[in-house]
Amino acid sequence: MKTSVFFGALTVAGMAAGMASAATLDDVKARGQLNCGVSTGLVGFAAPDSNGVWEGFDVAVCRAVAAAVFGDPTAVEFVPLTTKTRFTALSAGEVDMLARNTTWTFSRDVDLKLEFVGVNYYDGQGFMVPRDLGVSSAKELDGATVCIQTGTTTELNLADFFRTNNISYEPVPIETNAEAQQQYLAGACDVYTTDASALAATRASFETPADHILLPEIVSKEPLGPLVRHGDNEWGDIVRWTLNALVTAEELGVTSANVEELAAAATDNPEVNRLLGTEGELGAMLGLEADWAKNVIAAGGNYGELFETNIGESTPIGLARGLNAQWTEGGLIYSPPFR
């Protein structure tokens, strides 16, 4: 009952905000900056560095959208949001978009009236435990205490997994990844469960990462991606095609190192030309400048460059491309054509 009332309230708020935000691009331009909702702090995806500058894989999506609109990837106000506050903030217009480790689900799309514009990371829910707990499978966790972020798909998946395997657990509710890390390291819970990528990022920040293991079970599909409000179609097109530009650039071999040269004049590849604005009117169709995608790629690189810089195998987080490889390399990352 409590959940239904919450969803219903958000539905009304979403509808109202959707109608009021039909010209989000105009609002963003008038403000002079993008308001982008991000995590409260998850190294590799969204976290401030030692100078207070936000960086990470999700942060890069925000900066890419700012580059598309303004030609300036720094024209962003990052708004840290918890799992509880993220949807109400978007529906109420406090942010223009979310890029915040958020799973695309039926209820969020249909009932909450939100619009997922694509997937920037294919993930799944995993489990992290201290090595000295002595377990090698999540099925051995009968009676364990589990740190779980409330209001998430992982909370629901956790209940399904333990019920299906006829084992019990005691939830330890937390609201942020920082709180989960603190509680887990303090021994308040035996297990921390969330998206496997977030577990890897969290473990990388520990003083002794090798003392903690990720169990082999991945118990859900978690397609994570940026989202906007329902009814905000023109703005949604800009966020969607910014993400697609990053993906297409990698597929076509357009990088932060060669994008200026390739955009200087039409090449012999028509799709590169359409992407970079030396041929066709795709920018004008979005209400943007012809070189919008060039600015997106120049901001931090194509999808593959952003992956490797922020969360790839050479970083402390050390994630392999896996499902997040290009479709031409056996993965699921795929953009519709720029035509």
Side-chain angles (χ1 to χ4, degrees):
M1 178 63 74
K2 196 171 181 180
T3 300
S4 298
V5 171
F6 175 66
F7 274 30
L10 277 181
T11 298
V12 173
M15 292 175 65
M19 290 186 289
S21 59
T24 298
L25 176 60
D26 292 338
D27 294 342
V28 171
K29 285 183 172 177
R31 191 188 308 127
Q33 68 179 19
L34 170 73
N35 290 340
C36 197
V38 295
S39 165
T40 53
L42 181 62
V43 173
F45 285 88
D49 67 10
S50 58
N51 297 314
V53 178
W54 283 86
E55 57 183 19
F57 193 58
D58 286 335
V59 164
V61 174
C62 303
R63 293 198 187 281
V65 174
V69 174
F70 297 108
D72 178 4
T74 69
V76 188
E77 176 72 21
F78 293 100
V79 182
L81 298 169
T82 68
T83 54
K84 280 187 175 179
T85 61
R86 55 185 165 175
F87 300 132
T88 48
L90 177 60
S91 295
E94 295 171 14
V95 294
D96 305 305
M97 59 175 286
L98 288 180
R100 194 209 168 284
N101 301 81
T102 297
T103 303
W104 186 348
T105 71
F106 182 99
S107 59
R108 289 169 179 175
D109 189 331
V110 176
D111 192 31
L112 296 190
K113 306 300 181 188
L114 302 174
E115 189 86 20
F116 286 80
V117 303
V119 176
N120 71 326
Y121 191 90
Y122 288 95
D123 211 340
Q125 183 174 343
F127 301 88
M128 177 168 63
V129 298
R131 186 176 295 280
D132 60 13
L133 191 64
V135 302
S136 58
S137 167
K139 295 178 182 177
E140 300 170 12
L141 294 174
D142 190 20
T145 51
V146 183
C147 279
I148 180 76
Q149 292 190 58
T150 53
T152 64
T153 55
T154 55
E155 185 178 22
L156 305 175
N157 297 333
L158 178 69
D160 288 348
F161 177 79
F162 276 74
R163 183 173 61 247
T164 301
N165 287 283
N166 197 29
I167 53 179
S168 64
Y169 69 100
E170 180 182 344
V172 179
I174 46 92
E175 289 199 18
T176 67
N177 190 65
E179 184 184 358
Q181 179 174 329
Q182 180 184 37
Q183 294 283 64
Y184 171 81
L185 290 176
C189 52
D190 301 311
V191 187
Y192 179 29
T193 182
T194 187
D195 297 340
S197 63
L199 292 177
T202 301
R203 183 175 64 167
S205 68
F206 290 174
E207 188 173 339
T208 55
D211 290 348
H212 306 269
I213 60 173
L214 304 186
L215 299 178
E217 287 86 359
I218 298 295
V219 300
S220 68
K221 294 184 294 185
E222 305 291 340
L224 311 179
L227 56 153
V228 299
R229 291 174 286 271
H230 259 192
D232 208 358
N233 296 350
E234 293 175 355
W235 176 245
D237 283 344
I238 291 172
V239 181
R240 176 180 299 106
W241 285 95
T242 295
L243 178 60
N244 288 336
L246 294 169
V247 171
T248 294
E250 182 185 25
E251 181 181 343
L252 296 177
V254 181
T255 70
S256 56
N258 64 19
V259 66
E260 294 292 348
E261 178 183 353
L262 291 173
T267 71
D268 57 3
N269 185 325
E271 190 162 17
V272 169
N273 299 341
R274 290 191 292 270
L275 174 69
L276 300 181
T278 55
E279 179 180 323
E281 299 291 336
L282 299 188
M285 294 178 193
L286 287 170
L288 301 176
E289 300 295 327
D291 62 353
W292 68 279
K294 184 209 75 171
N295 295 330
V296 164
I297 300 157
N302 62 36
Y303 178 90
E305 291 178 280
L306 297 180
F307 192 103
E308 294 306 325
T309 299
N310 293 291
I311 57 177
E313 291 182 294
S314 62
T315 70
I317 298 166
L319 296 174
R321 288 293 293 267
L323 293 177
N324 296 290
Q326 288 276 339
W327 68 287
T328 50
E329 303 294 330
L332 298 177
I333 296 299
Y334 181 100
S335 166
F338 274 72
R339 179 174 293 283

